[in-house]
Amino acid sequence: MNRLAQSLRILREVFANAELRRLELAWGGFYLGEWALVVTLFVIAFNAGGVAAVGLVSVLRTLPPALVVPFSAVLADRYRRERVLLVVHLVRAATIGAAAAVLFLDGPVAVVYTLATMAALASAGFRPAQWALLPMLARTPRELVAANAASSTVESVASLAGPALAGVLLAVSAPGVVFAVSAGFFVSSGLLVTRILPRFERQAAQRGIAEVERGSLAGFRALAHDPQPRLLTALFAAQTFVRGLIAVLAVVASIDLLRMGDSGVGYLNAAVGAGGFIGALGALSLVGSRRLGRTFGTALVLWGAPVLAVAAWPQPAVALVALAVVGVGRSALDTSGLTLLQRLVADRVLARVFGVRETLSLAAIGVASLVAPILVTSIGIRSALAVTGALLPVIALLCWRPLERMDAETAVREREVTLLRGTPIFEPLPPATIEQLASRLALVRACAGGTIIRQGDPGDRFYVISKGEVEVLVDGVATGRLGAGGYFGEIALLRNVPRTATVRAVDDVELYTLERDVFVSAVTGHPQSEASADAVVSTRLGKLGSPAVL
């Protein structure tokens, strides 16, 4: 009960942030409509052409969007991310509403498939924009983890309610009704997004078309140079490949193996959502955790191993429980994996890195949709379930050591975060950006009387004092002192001029430093931070009474 109470308290804290609350509710509305739509679309396809048609529909909804995501993700780094989300919701509402009209008029099923594909194309940039916007709304590192866990909770509730709603509506009405209800959810999500006002602003990159095309590859380049985000992205792709297999196999298992009928497809998917809700409440305990990498690995095991139980004991009750356990793994995986990526990747390319993740994930689902029917026809549904269940546990075992190392390197450095947060230049930055900067700090010590920077030297680093006191001298004349929490070196970096002041240790001091490129990129990437930095520069230059810089 104590853990449940703590989880609910953390959820209340997240929803007390009005901007996060709107984003989370819009996220839930999207997934309510999405899950109801997917279940109904798969049932339509299976009744029209069997498992091969289900695979075809899944390919149409995944592979074309996978090709578009790298370009659509650029929009979330170029424009306001909440506006990108608004466009996605409205276009999806229009296309799915049109598909509902086709179904009501008994139109060709091919037109329904086409409109569903158009809706999927429209949402290609949805998740990258959503995940990249989240750090701009969270107020603290703790709240960022909690918001990711809350997103998983909301998605789990939606993935429980959406398939269950589809199952009930399919039992008492027609597929067109489900499509119309889904369109309504997309409209309501769009209305919520219109009211989001990010607390932290960022510089929108204004580019021409050619630069946008080159920029679409920035996410791939970032992953090519950073092994940890690259590993996470690859593991996310493996997980979504298994998810794609399960999506198709659940249709076949429900109708041919478990004898649960069309509605059983919705109930099996709802079981994943129910488990996800339970797992999401548990994932809230990850707030403050330093074991996110190992949690991610454990979640991979939970995604696969329960499917082995369905292969061994093909009973409806076993299948429902097993898929509920899969849902538990999904919540833990999403919360830990997304938080790690948000901490590891710079904001300027964050949406595009999430775009790469989405591209690979969609491609993996598309490939899985082609592989699943082949597995069923070649080795049978039970053997196909066994192969699917074994895949992720094996991968998790092989990647366990790198995930453990990731925990050691990405643990939040509370002392350093507090130090940076107390610096006026950094105070306006989002929590995730502060965490990234804290992880890039290097500790430097100087003995009493030692020179830290010298007048006339080029500016290469920014300094924050952790302990001790320093003296500032211009042309050999002392002009002031700085103590713990003080900082210097920003003017030379931002104005690109040599240092014209010397800083010397009064007593033994400890300082944290940031390299020039890291500092400039962080400060100039956010308008409030850049304005604060300009104010500091102007004030210090005014006090010096000359163009002297540090």
Side-chain angles (χ1 to χ4, degrees):
M1 288 297 294
N2 288 338
R3 176 169 291 186
L4 176 60
Q6 181 183 12
S7 298
L8 293 176
R9 179 175 57 79
I10 293 172
L11 276 178
R12 285 197 298 271
E13 290 175 3
V14 171
F15 278 80
N17 181 330
E19 311 309 326
L20 280 177
R21 180 173 65 249
R22 294 176 185 123
L23 187 67
E24 299 287 6
L25 291 176
W27 174 260
F30 176 91
Y31 274 104
L32 274 169
E34 176 74 0
W35 275 106
L37 170 66
V38 168
V39 169
T40 305
L41 191 61
F42 280 178
V43 169
I44 292 172
F46 188 81
N47 291 333
V51 66
V54 175
L56 173 62
V57 168
S58 185
V59 168
L60 290 174
R61 295 186 67 258
T62 53
L63 289 186
L67 300 175
V68 174
V69 168
F71 299 96
S72 59
V74 175
L75 300 178
D77 279 336
R78 185 183 184 192
Y79 300 108
R80 294 177 66 97
R81 288 163 180 167
E82 67 275 14
R83 293 177 182 173
V84 173
L85 291 176
L86 173 61
V87 172
V88 169
H89 290 308
L90 295 182
V91 173
R92 283 184 64 85
T95 51
I96 298 306
V102 172
L103 289 170
F104 283 131
L105 296 172
D106 292 325
V109 71
V111 176
V112 176
Y113 295 164
T114 300
L115 289 169
T117 302
M118 291 172 61
L121 285 169
S123 62
F126 169 71
R127 278 170 282 269
Q130 171 87 15
W131 294 324
L133 177 60
L134 198 61
M136 308 302 296
L137 305 181
R139 296 167 294 194
T140 64
R142 170 188 170 90
E143 191 170 71
L144 177 59
V145 180
N148 282 320
S151 293
S152 186
T153 303
V154 170
E155 183 180 347
S156 297
V157 172
S159 62
L160 166 63
L165 177 64
V168 171
L169 290 178
L170 287 172
V172 301
S173 62
V177 173
V178 185
F179 273 53
V181 170
S182 295
F185 282 124
F186 299 140
V187 170
S188 64
S189 293
L191 293 175
L192 284 166
V193 167
T194 61
R195 300 183 60 197
I196 292 176
L197 297 172
R199 180 169 181 257
F200 300 101
E201 295 182 13
R202 39 182 286 279
Q203 296 286 9
Q206 299 300 324
R207 303 181 177 93
I209 297 299
E211 291 178 344
V212 168
E213 291 174 353
R214 290 194 297 271
S216 65
L217 300 177
F220 290 95
R221 288 194 294 269
L223 293 176
H225 290 92
D226 199 333
Q228 290 181 336
R230 183 169 67 241
L231 173 62
L232 286 171
T233 302
L235 292 176
F236 267 122
Q239 176 261 330
T240 49
F241 176 74
V242 170
R243 188 179 79 189
L245 291 176
I246 292 174
V248 177
L249 296 179
V251 178
V252 182
S254 174
I255 297 173
D256 290 345
L257 180 65
L258 303 173
R259 307 298 179 186
M260 296 175 68
D262 290 353
S263 294
V265 180
Y267 301 143
L268 289 176
N269 282 283
V272 178
F277 178 72
I278 296 171
L281 291 178
L284 289 168
S285 65
L286 295 175
V287 173
S289 172
R290 299 189 178 186
R291 299 170 60 91
L292 294 180
R294 280 165 282 190
T295 298
F296 190 87
T298 302
L300 287 174
V301 175
L302 292 180
W303 251 101
V307 181
L308 292 170
V310 182
W313 300 284
Q315 301 295 325
V318 173
L320 290 170
V321 172
L323 290 179
V325 176
V326 168
V328 172
R330 183 187 67 187
S331 296
L333 183 135
D334 286 348
T335 300
S336 58
L338 293 177
T339 301
L340 285 169
L341 280 175
Q342 288 160 344
R343 287 178 175 173
L344 289 167
V345 179
D347 178 74
R348 67 182 183 277
V349 293
L350 184 57
R352 281 168 285 180
V353 167
F354 277 127
V356 175
R357 176 205 182 281
E358 186 73 356
T359 294
L360 296 179
S361 295
L362 289 171
I365 293 175
V367 172
S369 301
L370 296 174
V371 171
I374 296 173
L375 286 176
V376 172
T377 55
S378 60
I379 62 177
I381 180 62
R382 292 183 66 176
S383 296
L385 289 169
V387 170
T388 299
L391 185 59
L392 287 179
V394 171
I395 292 175
L397 181 63
L398 294 174
C399 297
W400 193 261
R401 286 290 181 86
L403 290 172
E404 284 186 322
R405 288 196 296 270
M406 198 177 299
D407 281 338
E409 296 178 22
T410 61
V412 176
R413 300 164 69 176
E414 296 291 350
R415 180 187 177 192
E416 291 88 336
V417 166
T418 301
L419 191 62
L420 292 180
R421 179 63 75 189
T423 304
I425 291 175
F426 298 129
E427 194 276 334
L429 294 176
T433 303
I434 296 263
E435 289 185 51
Q436 292 165 16
L437 290 175
S439 69
R440 304 291 294 274
L441 288 172
L443 180 62
V444 174
R445 293 182 174 88
C447 297
T451 298
I452 301 168
I453 63 174
R454 191 181 303 275
Q455 187 171 349
D457 287 350
D460 57 349
R461 288 189 286 184
F462 172 79
Y463 295 81
V464 182
I465 304 169
S466 174
K467 179 182 178 182
E469 190 175 33
V470 302
E471 185 176 34
V472 180
L473 303 98
V474 178
D475 295 329
V477 179
T479 62
R481 291 190 176 190
L482 299 171
Y487 55 94
F488 56 91
E490 75 286 343
I491 304 177
L493 303 183
L494 293 172
R495 296 292 174 88
N496 196 28
V497 292
R499 303 197 193 276
T500 61
T502 296
V503 175
R504 189 165 55 202
V506 174
D507 49 18
D508 292 346
V509 296
E510 290 184 356
L511 310 101
Y512 285 103
T513 69
L514 279 174
E515 293 295 329
R516 177 193 185 96
D517 291 346
V518 176
F519 172 81
V520 172
S521 177
V523 171
T524 60
H526 296 78
Q528 298 109 317
S529 179
E530 189 170 24
S532 295
D534 286 341
V536 168
V537 169
S538 299
T539 299
R540 287 189 165 176
L541 289 176
K543 287 181 178 179
L544 289 173
S546 71
V549 293
L550 294 176

